[in-house]
Amino acid sequence: MSEHEDLEKFAQALQEQILAQARLEYSEAVIERWINPRNMGTLENPDGYGKVTGICGDTIEIFLRMRDDIIAEATWITDGCGATVSCATMATELVKGKTFTQALAAVSADEIIKRLGGLPEAHLHCAQLASESLRSALADFLHQQKSPWKKPYRKT
Ligand code: FES
């Protein structure tokens, strides 16, 4: 076996060990979204933008693109933990294709936690952060509707 193959085998074993450890604490739905985050990234000139920093000091930013009152795109970026990545993914999954009102009702912390199959007590606030960030982006969208001339001047 070559040195390169040895190294690859070692990396794979290490990854499996980390995953086995994570499975003791987190559901498959959470872990799957850590590994394959959806809707990650920014949107240029979004119709709704929210940025919230949680009690732990981590931040989520949400970007919304609306089309005929439907959320056509919802994306996020974060400097937070793996659970935050899963919560932000789930929050954007929950609102895509929904109207403003449906999205507002759909994106509670409880719903994110439920859809993720639960979170450890110490990470419940990650769902709260994702929900608040998304609601902040929805509020921004509403604000832009009322004052569209302000859109070019806001900071994202
Ligand atoms: Fe800070 Fe997850 S949001 S630990």
Side-chain angles (χ1 to χ4, degrees), residues 56 58 81 84 123 125-126 129:
C56 60
D58 295 335
C81 65
T84 313
H123 285 280
H125 72 274
C126 311
L129 178 58

Side-chain angles (χ1 to χ4, degrees), residues 3-134:
E3 199 176 312
H4 176 73
E5 283 170 329
D6 261 356
L7 215 60
E8 231 170 61
K9 221 174 168 186
F10 173 73
Q12 199 179 339
L14 194 64
Q15 197 176 358
E16 276 164 19
Q17 203 181 320
I18 292 167
L19 278 177
Q21 190 65 36
R23 281 193 181 99
L24 298 176
E25 270 193 278
Y26 297 97
S27 72
E28 271 309 311
V30 172
I31 293 169
E32 200 273 322
R33 283 168 180 78
W34 280 358
I35 299 169
N36 301 305
R38 266 82 103 186
N39 310 322
M40 189 167 61
T42 61
L43 292 176
E44 214 166 297
N45 209 13
D47 298 313
Y49 169 73
K51 180 178 181 180
V52 176
T53 299
I55 49 170
C56 60
D58 295 335
T59 300
I60 296 180
E61 292 176 63
I62 300 273
F63 305 80
L64 300 177
R65 175 92 59 235
M66 307 295 289
R67 213 163 284 140
D68 304 326
D69 196 37
I70 298 282
I71 299 175
E73 286 182 82
T75 67
W76 56 270
I77 54 172
T78 185
D79 60 358
C81 65
T84 313
V85 167
S86 301
C87 289
T89 293
M90 181 53 81
T92 51
E93 284 178 310
L94 274 171
V95 300
K96 262 172 98 172
K98 290 200 163 73
T99 64
F100 173 88
T101 319
Q102 289 169 337
L104 202 58
V107 74
S108 67
D110 284 349
E111 189 63 21
I112 293 171
I113 293 165
K114 193 174 101 190
R115 298 275 185 128
L116 286 174
L119 281 171
E121 185 78 27
H123 285 280
L124 293 175
H125 72 274
C126 311
Q128 190 66 41
L129 178 58
S131 149
E132 280 174 22
S133 309
L134 214 138

